Amino acid sequence: MNRRTAVLLSAAIVVAGVLGSFAHAWWSGGHETVAEAAASRLPDDVPAFYRNGGKHLAHFAVDPDRWKNREMGFLRREEEGNHFLDVEDLDDKKLPGTHRYDGLKMIYTELKKEPNKVGMLPYAIMEYYEKLVVGFYDYRKAPTNTSIPMKCLVHGGTLAHYTGDAAMPLHTTRDYDGLKQADGTTKQKGIHAKIDGFPEKNKITPDEVCRGLEAKKIDDVWAHVNKFIEESHTHIPKCYAFDAAGEFDKPTAESRAFILARVRAGAQLTLDLWYTAWLRSEKLPNHW
């Protein structure tokens, strides 16, 4: 192998590794399903434009994956850590519940790790939740301003992407696409894509997902989000067990019920955060 060939091969390996690190949580259809299902169960006191905005919310719910377009160098790098949190890499520590920059500082200084490799998912959820709170506040103050519903739908749809990510167990672990073996190989590589595509391939519909869901107010949003991610993390062994049994390749009633439950969990979290954002907006102080 000459030097030029070796350089090209090394570059290809690096590129493949970078591309592989941008795993999706669900295919676009899965994210759309979460958003539509949540919208259909919003209570009547939430504005009609939002309750009836399921199709818009579904479209915007896919935007964070669109932002990872490989041609978008700045945006792609800014976005990459927002979709996951590798719980094991926190070394049993808790992320600070203040803001993203305190989280970045903790990961860099205390854990001696790179934040974009550990993940920023809970901060992404909190930031878009608060953007939605602000949008709803503006709507309360100026309900005839036609610009405001548009931004509420954009922020709420984006939030639905990250809540959907949190419900996918492999977005809470460094073993997001296979189990690392002692000899350096990876067992069950490809599992991530199997789960990502499951809702779309197996026709899990918004009607099926939303059945029986009811909006609940969240008292401590930061604590709730982190508890949700920790609970999602507990389902990782089951993911690998279903995959080892071939039940994602050839779905069984049990594997379909498992994925449906995770999609429903994502829809419930989305619904609760949207509803809580609306309630909180009522008592938000003036921006200025």
Side-chain angles (χ1 to χ4, degrees):
M1 181 184 296
N2 62 39
R3 185 175 178 180
R4 183 169 182 270
T5 301
V7 169
L8 290 173
L9 179 58
S10 297
I13 291 170
V14 169
V15 170
V18 169
L19 294 179
S21 69
F22 291 94
H24 300 289
W26 309 108
W27 283 2
S28 60
H31 280 295
E32 290 168 351
T33 296
V34 167
E36 280 198 64
S40 71
R41 300 298 297 174
L42 284 164
D44 290 344
D45 57 322
V46 175
F49 81 83
Y50 203 86
R51 287 185 282 112
N52 298 330
K55 292 297 182 184
H56 299 302
L57 290 161
H59 173 82
F60 297 133
V62 188
D63 276 348
D65 279 342
R66 297 184 180 106
W67 299 337
K68 293 186 290 184
N69 185 298
R70 67 188 65 191
E71 291 295 317
M72 301 295 102
F74 289 92
L75 178 60
R76 180 179 166 92
R77 290 299 171 209
E78 185 273 337
E79 183 61 28
E80 65 179 338
N82 287 341
H83 297 250
F84 65 93
L85 178 67
D86 292 349
V87 172
E88 306 96 333
D89 284 340
L90 294 178
D91 298 341
D92 295 324
K93 295 181 182 294
K94 300 292 183 183
L95 288 170
T98 47
H99 51 74
R100 179 183 292 257
Y101 293 102
D102 280 346
L104 292 169
K105 181 180 178 181
M106 180 198 133
I107 294 170
Y108 268 128
T109 60
E110 293 184 37
L111 301 180
K112 311 296 183 186
K113 296 175 183 177
E114 295 182 44
N116 67 327
K117 292 184 179 178
V118 175
M120 292 276 109
L121 177 57
Y123 294 110
I125 292 174
M126 291 301 301
E127 289 157 4
Y128 275 91
Y129 158 73
E130 291 191 348
K131 286 179 182 181
L132 183 58
V133 174
V134 171
F136 279 151
Y137 169 87
D138 289 345
Y139 177 79
R140 288 180 185 274
K141 295 299 181 182
T144 60
N145 184 331
T146 56
S147 298
I148 296 172
M150 290 190 287
K151 71 179 177 183
C152 290
L153 291 167
V154 170
H155 294 329
T158 306
L159 172 59
H161 183 97
Y162 300 125
T163 50
D165 282 351
M168 205 286 220
L170 298 187
H171 270 241
T172 71
T173 176
R174 58 191 173 206
D175 294 325
Y176 68 93
D177 192 31
L179 298 168
K180 303 296 187 296
Q181 304 298 296
D183 62 1
T185 61
T186 301
K187 187 178 180 181
Q188 293 178 250
K189 189 168 181 61
I191 182 176
H192 202 112
K194 294 176 188 179
I195 297 178
D196 280 351
F198 195 105
E200 198 165 324
K201 286 183 175 180
N202 294 281
K203 298 179 173 54
I204 291 177
T205 65
D207 286 344
E208 187 177 15
V209 171
C210 76
R211 203 167 295 143
L213 298 186
E214 293 185 10
K216 297 184 288 292
K217 179 180 179 292
I218 301 170
D219 293 324
D220 185 333
V221 174
W222 174 255
H224 186 88
V225 166
N226 281 276
K227 184 178 179 181
F228 183 94
I229 292 172
E230 290 168 6
E231 196 277 334
S232 187
H233 185 74
T234 67
H235 296 285
I236 293 166
K238 206 161 190 178
C239 289
Y240 278 97
F242 276 126
D243 182 56
E247 294 185 57
F248 291 141
D249 297 304
K250 294 183 178 179
T252 61
E254 291 77 14
S255 63
R256 191 181 192 281
F258 173 72
I259 297 297
L260 175 60
R262 296 316 306 154
V263 177
R264 280 174 56 82
Q268 183 70 66
L269 178 62
T270 306
L271 173 62
D272 293 345
L273 284 172
W274 285 347
Y275 185 53
T276 301
W278 171 247
L279 296 177
R280 184 178 173 190
S281 70
E282 184 177 13
K283 298 181 179 179
L284 200 68
N286 187 285
H287 300 326
W288 295 279

